[in-house]
Structure formats: structure tokens, C-alpha cells
Amino acid sequence: MTEETPGFDEQQPQQAAQPQQPDVPSGATPEDAEPKAAPSAEEGAARAGDAAAAAQTAGLTAQLDQVRTALGERTMDLQRLQAEYQNYRRRVERDRIAVKEIAIANLLTELLPVLDDIGRAREHGELLGGFKSVAESLETVAAKMGLQQFGKEGEPFDPTIHEALMHSYAPDVTETTCVAILQPGYRFGERTIRPARVAVAEPQPGAQTVKADEADTATTAADDKENGGPEEG
């Protein structure tokens, strides 16, 4: 019988049980030889969440820009509407005032013949008693409504506010002058309701030439007096 070598069978299982070490390149550490672990599920979820948040932020930014643009357009529309409304209010107010002035002017125009009768009665001394009180009240009301009387004797003739019904010449005027007020004129604000009807007088033909000759003669005499009299030839 063959003698068994003690310890041979025991060494074989020990060698077979040892794990096989991976080949490590020369100059590399054992850590380099270890395989890198794959990213975990939590890291992948975090990266996906960051990408989704970035995409959502970009979408919200675009929506915010659209809202700002729409807000600017609506603001401009509102400002335009406000300007149009203010212009409309001013136009309506201006038209209302114009209509009111026209109505008052028409009413005062209808009262002018009555005021003329009151004026003639006052000139003839017939404005007495109760008639005087009523006439003065009417004149006061017309004045409160803005009626103004104009036209005085001696003022220069102005064709824009005077209507000449009579014409004459006078030696004591130097320009066309109102010498008599036949009917006073009336105005309401800047509106002339009726021009003053007047008699006018103009300088006599040749009167200015005579006055000019007299002025030249007086000037020559004064110069001669200052020079010691006229020169004798």
C-alpha cells in the first residue's frame, strides 16, 4: 500500500478556497483596480429634478415676459382712452358754454328795444313812479347777465363797433369822431350784440392844410425872432 503523504490532502482544499485576485497593472494602486460604482437612483432623481426645475423656470420667465408685454399694451390703451375722454369732456364743456352764451345773447337781443324805450323815457323825464322801478330792475338784471352798454360822444369812430347813420364836417375835429349817439351799442362778453348807431363828423376839407400852413408860418416867425429878425437884402 502506498503511504499517504500527511498533509497533502489538507493543503489542496486550502489552495482551492483562496479567492482569485484580479490582475493589477504595474504601478497602479489597488484602489484603481476596483470597479467604479454606478450612479445611485437618488442622484439620478436629483439630476432629473434640476433639469425639470430649470425648464419650469424658463417657461415661467417666458410667461412673465408675455404678461409684461400685455400689461404695457393695456396701459397704453388705458392712457389713450383717458386722453380721449378728457378731450371729450373739454369739448362738451366748451360746447355747453357756447350754447349758453348764444341763448343769453339771443335773450338780451330781444330786450334791446325795451331798453331803448327806457332810455328815451329817461331822456324826456318820463321815467317816473312804478315804471321807473320796473325799468331799473330790468336794467339791473340785464347787467347781471353780462350786458354792457357802450358808445359816447367825442370818441373816435370805429367801424367795428360803430354804425354811422349821419355824416357831417366840423372845424373842431382832427379825425372822424362820433358827435352824437343815436342808439347806444351793446356787447355781451366779447360778442357785439348791436353796434352803436352814431352821427359822425369829419374835418373840413382843406382845414388841415390851412392849419399846417399856419404852423409853418409860426415856426418861421419864431426862428426869425431867435435870429434877430429877418435878414435885410
Side-chain angles (χ1 to χ4, degrees), residues 147-218:
L147 185 65
Q148 299 176 356
Q149 180 178 319
F150 66 90
K152 295 181 180 179
E153 295 182 3
E155 63 184 6
F157 176 76
D158 185 353
T160 60
I161 60 175
H162 295 138
E163 180 181 355
L165 300 182
M166 299 178 62
H167 177 269
S168 62
Y169 294 97
D172 56 344
V173 296
T174 58
E175 60 180 346
T176 305
T177 306
C178 300
V179 295
I181 306 299
L182 306 179
Q183 281 185 334
Y186 290 97
R187 67 168 57 96
F188 173 67
E190 298 181 355
R191 184 195 304 269
T192 300
I193 298 178
R194 187 183 73 185
R197 294 168 180 172
V198 299
V200 298
E202 292 182 350
Q204 290 182 350
Q208 293 182 352
T209 305
V210 173
K211 291 183 178 180
D213 293 340
E214 292 178 353
D216 293 339
T217 302

Side-chain angles (χ1 to χ4, degrees), residues 26-128:
S26 61
T29 62
E31 290 78 4
D32 296 336
E34 296 180 358
K36 295 182 179 180
S40 63
E42 294 180 355
E43 293 179 353
R47 292 178 181 177
D50 293 342
Q56 185 178 7
T57 302
L60 292 176
T61 302
Q63 293 180 1
L64 180 60
D65 293 339
Q66 293 178 358
V67 171
R68 287 177 176 173
T69 302
L71 178 61
E73 293 177 354
R74 300 293 86 77
T75 302
M76 293 179 61
D77 293 341
L78 179 60
Q79 292 176 350
R80 183 172 61 254
L81 289 175
Q82 287 179 343
E84 292 177 356
Y85 178 66
Q86 293 297 332
N87 293 334
Y88 169 75
R89 288 187 59 185
R90 285 193 291 266
R91 184 168 60 253
V92 169
E93 183 66 16
R94 184 173 60 250
D95 294 342
R96 185 185 67 82
I97 294 175
V99 170
K100 180 180 178 181
E101 290 179 351
I102 292 174
I104 295 176
N106 292 336
L107 174 61
L108 295 176
T109 302
E110 297 297 328
L111 292 177
L112 294 185
V114 180
L115 297 177
D116 292 337
D117 293 338
I118 293 174
R120 284 190 291 267
R122 182 179 288 111
E123 291 176 357
H124 293 84
E126 298 176 356
L127 200 61
L128 303 172

